[in-house]
Amino acid sequence: MAVSKDSLFVKVLRVWVGLIGITALGNTISSYLNGELLSETIFTQKPELVNALVGRLFGTWTLLSAFVRVLCAVHIDSKPLYQVSMFSFLLAFAYFASELYIFKTIHVTFGPLSALVISTISFVLMLVGYPRLFQRQSTGRAKRR
């Protein structure tokens, strides 16, 4: 039996995903207005690799993530949208972890660390919420072959 959209867990999840999406809008604006700010806040290990183009690209990626996450918060019962949002958190974690451990472009500072923590918490919350929202109900009918 699937959990109601009105359950406390689902309400908290909606608010969390929505707030993360709205916060990302602020990051988008910062990236577009001052793309080189990323060299001071995120990519501090190799700031010479950051320029205005990287800032705009990062801002576009962040804007898309924000849009998907806000839509998911509004339409929490949309399975494809939920899956894409959940994947966006996994992708964010993989991105920042690879920049930290593989490419070594970031230090463990507030910006990258908060992105890693928030993406992890968000992915885990959505993973826990997935079977609650989308659990299959058995119909009692035999499968067609």
Side-chain angles (χ1 to χ4, degrees):
M1 180 178 193
V3 172
S4 165
K5 280 190 342 183
D6 299 323
S7 76
L8 180 60
F9 179 83
V10 174
K11 286 179 182 179
V12 169
L13 183 60
R14 287 178 102 152
V15 169
W16 175 263
V17 172
L19 285 175
I20 299 304
I22 291 168
T23 302
L25 291 174
N27 294 337
T28 297
I29 293 167
S30 295
S31 294
Y32 277 111
L33 294 179
N34 185 2
E36 295 186 13
L37 182 67
L38 292 172
S39 65
E40 301 166 11
T41 57
I42 305 289
F43 304 103
T44 56
Q45 186 79 0
K46 294 186 180 176
E48 68 277 5
L49 297 178
V50 179
N51 58 30
L53 175 61
V54 170
R56 291 189 304 273
L57 183 60
F58 192 86
T60 301
W61 171 56
T62 305
L63 178 62
L64 179 60
S65 296
F67 183 70
V68 166
R69 293 166 185 173
V70 168
L71 275 178
C72 180
V74 172
H75 302 286
I76 196 82
D77 56 344
S78 170
K79 192 173 183 177
L81 192 52
Y82 192 96
Q83 291 169 334
V84 169
S85 297
M86 194 165 58
F87 179 74
S88 77
F89 288 116
L90 183 61
L91 183 63
F93 175 83
Y95 174 74
F96 283 100
S98 68
E99 292 297 331
L100 178 63
Y101 294 113
I102 297 170
F103 303 111
K104 302 191 186 315
T105 58
I106 60 177
H107 285 112
V108 179
T109 58
F110 179 76
L113 186 59
S114 63
L116 287 165
V117 169
I118 288 171
S119 62
T120 301
I121 291 170
S122 301
F123 180 76
V124 169
L125 285 174
M126 293 192 81
L127 197 60
V128 168
Y130 190 84
R132 294 173 182 241
L133 282 163
F134 304 110
Q135 185 179 25
R136 291 185 180 178
Q137 296 177 357
S138 63
T139 60
R141 293 185 281 182
K143 288 184 178 179
R144 287 185 169 182
R145 294 186 190 231

